[in-house]
Amino acid sequence: MTDAIGSRTDGSRRRFALAGAAALAVAAFTAFGFGDATGLLRSVAHQVPELGLLVLAMALPMMAGGINLAIVAIANLSAVATALAFARLGGDGLVAPLALAFGLAVGGGCGALIGALVAHARIDPVVASLGGLMVASGVGILVTNGSAVTGLPDFVAAAADRTVFGLPLMTLVFLAATALVALLVHRAPFGRRLSAVGHNAQASLYSGVDVARVHLTVYTLSGILSALAGLVMLSRFNSARMGYGDSYLLVTLLAAVLGGVDPKGGRGAVWATVAAILTLQISASGLNLLGASQHAASVAWGGILIAKLALDRIRA
Amino acid sequence: MAAVSSLVVEDLVKAFQGNAVLTGVSLRLEGGRVAALSGLNGAGKSTVIKILAGVLAADGGRIVVDGREAHRLDPAAMKRAGIEVIFQDFALFPNLTVAENVTFGDAVATPWRLVRRRPTHARARDALALVGADLDPEAEVGGLPIADRQLVAIARALAHDARFLVLDEPTASLTHAEVQRLFAVVADLKRRGVAILFISHRYAEVAAIADEVFVLRDGAVVRTFARDELTAAALHEAMTGAASPAATQLVLPPPGDAIALEAVGLGRAGAFAEVDLTVRAGEIVGLTGLLGAGKTELAEVLFGLARPDAGEIRVAGRARRFRSDRDAVAAGLALVPEDRLAQGLVLPASVRDNVALASLDRLTDRLGLVDRRRRDDLVRRLVGQLQIRVADVAAPVARLSGGNQQRVVLAKWLATDPAVLILDGPTVGVDVAARGLIYDLVRAAASRGIAVLLISNEVEEVWSICHRVHVMTAGRVARAIPTAGGAVPLQTLEASVHG
Amino acid sequence: MAESRPETRAIRRLGAGMALLLVGGGLFVPGFASTDNLLDVVTSAGIAGLFALGLLMVLIAGELDISFTAVASIAQFGLALLFTRGDLGWASAILISGGIGLALGLVNAAVVTWLRAPPIITTIALLNVYGGGLALLSRGEMLYDFPVWFSDAAVFRVFGLPVSLQVLLLAVATAATLVLGRTHWGLTLRAAGGNREAALRQGVGGVAVAAFAYGWLGFLSGIAGLAQAQLLQAVTPGSLIGRELDVVAATILGGASLAGGRGSVGGTLLGVLFIALIGNVLVLSGLSPYWHQAVTGTVLIVAVAPFLRGRRRAAIPVGAS
């Protein structure tokens, strides 16, 4: 049995351990099998932070029984917003934090818009986030004319290679965000309410839970996490464009589901989803080294997602 | 129809995950006769109905239609055999028109024929005429009032050539006039040779309409009455298995003086109006009346889930305007809702999470995180105090029995230290033994000074456990009748509900 | 009837929006009010229209599928592949592309019903499996050089008569109207979408309904694949993929609801045409084409928000089962 959010007992620990072991096994196999451990690690370390942040952005709405199809569009729009702020204001002194905050605010705003549609207009999350996706990517394309925004201050690209205490800065950002989300979901009252709303919104309402606020918070957080992912991508690509990470939607869904997030809502374990994205990313890099294409990954991820859902169905 | 049709049910047996729900149900329906099936909540009525509808398969037993045993027992086969069930929720399609709903079976029976408008309307009108309903065939069913929807459901069954019509608690949400109309329809169908099974536990209805009565208790038909053998006391005894325990009133703690909850001229359009009501600390006040009288709506307004259009709610003497139920909780109110499974509990979540759900804000530490030790202490204390039988508080609440589940809901609200406890149908679907335990808990809460407003459709329940009882009729609340200490006999109270 | 159906309200709103666009476009946008331009708009909406009329059935049944663009891509690729092997007539071309689509639609129905996971998640997975699989098999190559008869200025021929995309769309719309309003299948579909549990108690619904809805969408996706191949005279794997969410938006705009049981053929066509018209007006009036998506998204949000609020009032209370 999967464990409910909030009480991270044996179920999710076992899941986390399993996923972690899988990640290590795949990593070891790939590294030793192809003799390019550093190359593998580098490529994994590069992509995991942005993907991991997007997985969190996807997992939170799913735990509440919804979905956010707009995460990648929001990430890109936030990166564009920050990039344009840099272009307009330059990169000196206080401007940098301002530009970053602007990007995060744009992401949070998009999330809040979707959240308001879900919470107050009672629109199905699929439709609400589809609307959010169209508006976010539409505005992004409009302001960039569909091309990449470049000419960023040097420290943006440099941040991707910065290390703090020997760990890449972006990895630290990701781990910090994960720790905060885990605290919120597993230890704070919000997590219990999130789980209750995901399982049964009506009973939550009758228990004094502010269901609308939970939805609003979840989608706003999802937007902010997406924006954070967008900023990480901005640094990695040293540019912003509304088409980066087009293939990320599936892999984030897959990682969330593999990590134990119930697609019907109510359940989920934060660290397990992180282990899942790690495993997937190492596998993807392995596949890449094997010469397989992006399309092979699409087929594999889609197949694994269906297989996992089938497994849950058989066990239910 | 040459011969009189007959439906014989023999020794129906059904268990869910090892829990025996039906242990031997035998019934006999005959064309032109009305049989009643009576039993308390939880006796197994709905399981019998679902088996007759072909929705559930029985584990054992036989169903014989006109002398021929029915073997395939799915919904389509049951319809072919002429068995039609009118469920309590009517199982209609809200987005389809009246005509489309009524003639739904035609389309299913002849899948390759085009649906044509004029014949469909004519068919629908004919079927509706049988139940005396004059409805626009093009109206969407979702927009109709409840009583009309019921007639559409019956008309659909008749359009399917129903020979055996099962009506599941059909009067539950009807007004007096609508009940009379329904009875006239049933009498007319009886004349036409339809066999009717009328599910009800109300003596007055059963006595008015049934030719014979099957009494279901704990999953078996324990007694059959012919029409002239039936008395209220005998029916009650057969349903509960006890010789008129109705005569007993529970000993209640004396109420306090301070008024904890007060409604003054409270009203909400379309639900209730000019409601005056007071509950003192330590007092148990009953609110009873027919289904649809507005009791649940009143409870939801008192608890801030809906807003009143008129009047005032006062808690401990202070006028309150609740914007949501969170305001009500903050003011010291708690509501155990009527629909335990949909509104009371988060079924897949653990007992622990359910119990703590309403009081999470008081269980945080300095960092704003849930203080697990305090939460676990609270949960342990309440689980013990309320005698919730559960091996592990991390187990999902869905696995508990009805009585234990209801106590989890109670525990959730007692955890908030309420001053006022509103209980809406607290013993629905709870077996007799567990009921006693819930009554004990209610009395214990009152003796600790909690003001209790107990809402129930069962007149006897409020009569036996309340200091005073309000009767609600069509959105109006009558002045409270003192009941404690045998002030008023049960019959008087019942008369004021049904009169 | 006391209250108009949500479908009617959606059509009324879209009709008003269309009228505004047409009048505004006719008055202020040069070149807009010509027959050629308006026929072009219909053509440009044709493929999306075919998809939307397919998706409509799925939404009415209370389901969702977004893998249809990949299904269409596979169908047209299969067709193009067969073209390179030998000559086919129109009839076989239609049968092959429609057949491939139908088969994949039935696969979707089976997977979605059996998994019982939210269909959005299941069909995102299927979209990627189909799309990725096709890209792998085709190695991304473009297929062209079709038989001469396939290059006529018509999507296809029935008994030798040319059928343009507009006519095809109209024919499919008529068929969909007939199916929904006049056949047992349509009635069952709407019933199951409106109250699934009640449909099961009436002995209908379940797998059959899903198979019909997803199969219909699959078949139309195949036809849409054929139509697009004919229009472009080339098949590029992936050229259709990515348009699925726009089709969902258009269908929802037309009054269909993810909750099931709601939606109309007229509304769906209007939704698709409305989005195409917006694009046309934006292009002709010299504004950046990049406005299109932002405007469409805003229109979707604005249209849907009050729509659902109105619907909640009319909703039947869900009874305990």
Side-chain angles (χ1 to χ4, degrees), chain A residues 96-108:
Chain A
L98 221 61
L100 295 178
F102 179 55
L104 291 178
V106 165

Side-chain angles (χ1 to χ4, degrees), chain C residues 41-56:
Chain C
V41 171
V42 179
T43 308
S44 71
I47 308 291
L50 289 174
F51 283 136
L53 287 174
L55 181 64
L56 174 67

